[in-house]
Amino acid sequence: MIEVSKLKKSYKLSKKQLAMIADRHARQKVKIAVNDLSFTVRPGTIFGLLGPNGAGKTTTLRCISTLLKPTDGTVRVMGIDAEEAPEKVRASIAFLTNDLKLDKHFTPLDTLRFFADLHRVPKAVTEERACALFDYFDITPFKDKKIGELSQGMMQKVAIAVSLIHDPPVIIFDEPTNGLDIITARKVTDYLKMLRDQGKTIIISTHIMTVAEKLCDEIAVILNGSLAASGTVASLLEQTGQKDLDDAFFEIYQAQNGGVS
Amino acid sequence: MSQALKSIIARELKRIFTDRRIVITLFLVPALSIGIIYSVMGYLSMNFIKDVEAHVSTYVISDAPESFKVFLTQNPDLTEGVELTYVSGETVDTYAPSIKGGSLDMFARFSDDFDTRIESVESASVYTYYNYGEDYSEASFHHFVNDVLDAYRNEILTARFENPNAIMAFKVEDLSETAETVNEDKASGKILSTIIPMLISIFLFAGAMSVVMDSIAGEKERGTLATLLVTPVKREAIAIGKMISHGIIATLSALSSIAGMLLTLGILMLFMPNELDIGVSLGYSALDIVYLIGLVIMLVGIYVGIISLLSALSKNVKEAGTYMTPVYMFIMVVSFLNMYAFNAEPIWKYAIPIYGQIVGLKEIFMYQITPVKFFVAFANAAVTWTVLVLWIRNLFNNEKVIFTSS
Ligand SMILES: Nc1ncnc2c1ncn2[C@@H]1O[C@H](COP(=O)(O)OP(=O)(O)O)[C@@H](O)[C@H]1O
Ligand SMILES: [Mg+2]
């Protein structure tokens, strides 16, 4: 269970960041990345944050995984307040985002074992899970090669395996299929569905309509850090009177921006 | 130790020892380059070492009791290579200029009625004066106190076996401080012992620098630190785990430099078979070794902490490198500061982080360190470590520090 309530996150911009904003009048000292965002993700569902680049998806997911402290509002994971007990929250989540990297010097197996240790997974259980994850993601032939020698897609699969080694109840994946070929992407989404069927609480972010449409049980459309619409795919279509999610999204987008694109 | 801490330390060590490039730059290059530097230095100091050995020590002893003179005639090996002159009723004032000038190595005076006092088990003393700025003089002093007087004292105590109350027999008091026997400028002969603390300090810092920068600033740059930070491991454990493993590596790296140094010295000594006792004759005790190891560990911890802190504040290894240059210079200056001060250092200096430990290293080689001084150095190190670890933990909790690139 993930409960996000009135989440607000603003970044204080450094002088350098300010100088990079081309429009002088738009230069403000704080950037509000997420504003007044509330939603709940229930166990056994895949929840999707859908929005264009810069909408605030990654920021939201980082707040849930305790890497960022909310400026305002609260985040609760499995009933635990993320600010009060960040270690407990971190013990119960898998967090995947493409700016968390694995050390290229080690092999996938070493890496998996190391993170299992940090999560206090018993040795025998680690070996069993490592085998299963490597098999599923076709990593087995590469498990003793250095991560640095693997392809980009293989690296990402290793990162997914590492994030899941402690079999956590909550899964937070930021753009999980980005940069993957269609077959691998399909494997990942199938795996997520399997985890959902096991009763896990899953939240992903994406800017790709088909991913949201095919994978997510519930969708929150985020524009400029705020919730623009939410519900199942069917309910979003109904709310906007459109036939597919692509059109529905555009409708929501135009409504928010006063009809000007 | 927690499981997580162990895993982090094991992984850091594995990371370094399986990287051939790091192993070469950390262990091989310093050992080799030090070997070369020392070969040159050793060649230059070879003349000096031969000189000390061939040197005939000259002692002047005033008011020596009969029992002492008899003892020395019975044990001629104790005064081999020593030119001994007995005088009576003289004070150091007459001889201070010659000691300072180098023509006399040591002056000693026995307290009045020495033999009578010993017999009646009253307190008796031997006062010594030498020039601790000069190697001949220092070697003479140590030989006189540790070999001659020690044997003499044993003989007195054996003779007194029936009287168990007389434990001390007599005291040795070095009064060089009070007399004008010390010549601070004449320190050329002390290169070997004065340069070691400075080299240890600099090697430790250099060794720590490359590993720590890569492991903290480098991990930040590569995005692998954040991966570690989403695990339930406490930030303190991550900070401490990294610091311990880097401390081990830096110590090993410094040790390899020192090994290179000693090996070179050893080879040099092979060419001078008679001079093998040069280091040993100075007689470091087991306690001195404990002090040495203790001070090295303190220094390593502080260095690793400082470099970790600066690395955590930097976006990448390059930025960390720019912060490191002034710190390295500072460490060099502090290490050099001490080289040519031969008086016993006041205890307050031991309370200063880094400086205190380097002073301690120096004083081991000067036989001036005391348990109290060592403890003060340890207390200052413990406080410094705590501050650094807490500071680094806070940095690891600071989102601006974790995500500097985005
Ligand atoms: N560390 C940061 N400092 C300043 N602004 C940031 C920082 N991280 C993200 N932002 C800004 O916050 C907004 C939301 O970013 P993000 O959450 O990464 O969006 P998304 O993942 O939806 O693409 C963007 O405008 C981005 O420029
Ligand atoms: Mg993003």
Side-chain angles (χ1 to χ4, degrees), chain B residues 132 177 182 184 340-346 362-363 366 368:
Chain B
Y132 43 71
E177 291 280 351
V182 181
E184 300 271 343
Y340 292 113
F342 297 117
N343 292 322
E345 301 280 3
K362 186 199 73 179
E363 292 211 326
M366 310 283 288
Q368 285 158 337

Side-chain angles (χ1 to χ4, degrees), chain B residues 132-400:
Chain B
Y132 43 71
E134 200 227 8
D135 260 41
Y136 299 146
S137 185
E138 191 179 20
S140 300
F141 166 73
H142 286 291
H143 175 65
F144 183 68
V145 173
N146 299 337
D147 303 331
V148 180
L149 288 184
D150 219 40
Y152 176 53
R153 179 187 285 122
N154 280 341
E155 185 169 280
I156 295 177
L157 289 174
T158 320
R160 255 197 212 165
F161 190 64
E162 316 80 66
N163 183 352
N165 292 327
I167 307 164
M168 273 291 287
F170 61 85
K171 280 195 304 199
V172 178
E173 282 181 60
D174 178 47
L175 298 179
S176 305
E177 291 280 351
T178 63
E180 288 276 302
T181 55
V182 181
N183 179 352
E184 300 271 343
D185 305 329
K186 202 180 175 194
S188 55
K190 302 206 63 85
I191 286 177
L192 289 182
S193 58
T194 47
I195 206 165
I196 291 172
M198 181 205 79
L199 287 179
I200 291 177
S201 161
I202 292 174
F203 290 156
L204 283 178
F205 192 84
M209 201 160 62
S210 50
V211 210
V212 178
M213 279 184 358
D214 187 73
S215 171
I216 294 186
E219 285 218 25
K220 244 175 98 168
E221 187 177 351
R222 295 189 292 269
T224 52
L225 186 63
T227 315
L228 209 54
L229 295 175
V230 279
T231 64
V233 179
K234 287 209 167 11
R235 269 78 171 120
E236 293 89 303
I238 297 175
I240 294 172
K242 282 187 173 268
M243 281 173 67
I244 291 178
S245 38
H246 299 156
I248 293 173
I249 301 292
T251 310
L252 288 178
S253 165
L255 277 182
S256 92
S257 310
I258 294 168
M261 185 169 90
L262 293 179
L263 208 70
T264 320
L265 276 181
I267 293 168
L268 284 174
M269 289 192 179
L270 275 184
F271 294 106
M272 308 177 289
N274 297 328
E275 284 80 13
L276 264 172
D277 59 341
I278 183 73
V280 189
S281 73
L282 299 176
Y284 298 107
S285 67
L287 191 61
D288 287 328
I289 308 281
V290 171
Y291 287 152
L292 179 68
I293 294 171
L295 288 166
V296 163
I297 291 174
M298 292 176 207
L299 211 51
V300 145
I302 297 176
Y303 286 171
V304 166
I306 292 175
I307 303 168
S308 303
L309 187 73
L310 291 175
S311 302
L313 285 168
S314 321
K315 279 190 196 65
N316 48 42
V317 178
K318 201 172 149 214
E319 189 182 335
T322 59
Y323 295 155
M324 232 45 86
T325 318
V327 180
Y328 196 19
M329 304 276 255
F330 172 79
I331 299 288
M332 291 239 236
V333 169
V334 174
S335 308
F336 271 110
L337 265 185
N338 271 292
M339 271 182 72
Y340 292 113
F342 297 117
N343 292 322
E345 301 280 3
I347 198 151
W348 61 264
K349 287 196 177 176
Y350 278 82
I352 306 171
I354 301 176
Y355 187 65
Q357 281 78 25
I358 295 173
V359 165
L361 284 176
K362 186 199 73 179
E363 292 211 326
I364 293 176
F365 295 100
M366 310 283 288
Y367 309 94
Q368 285 158 337
I369 191 164
T370 63
V372 177
K373 286 175 168 180
F374 181 78
F375 181 78
V376 172
F378 177 73
N380 109 34
V383 171
T384 315
W385 292 335
T386 313
V387 170
L388 287 169
V389 167
L390 292 180
W391 197 343
I392 294 166
R393 178 203 58 187
N394 285 353
L395 287 181
F396 281 173
N397 266 326
N398 184 338
E399 57 195 52
K400 282 209 203 68

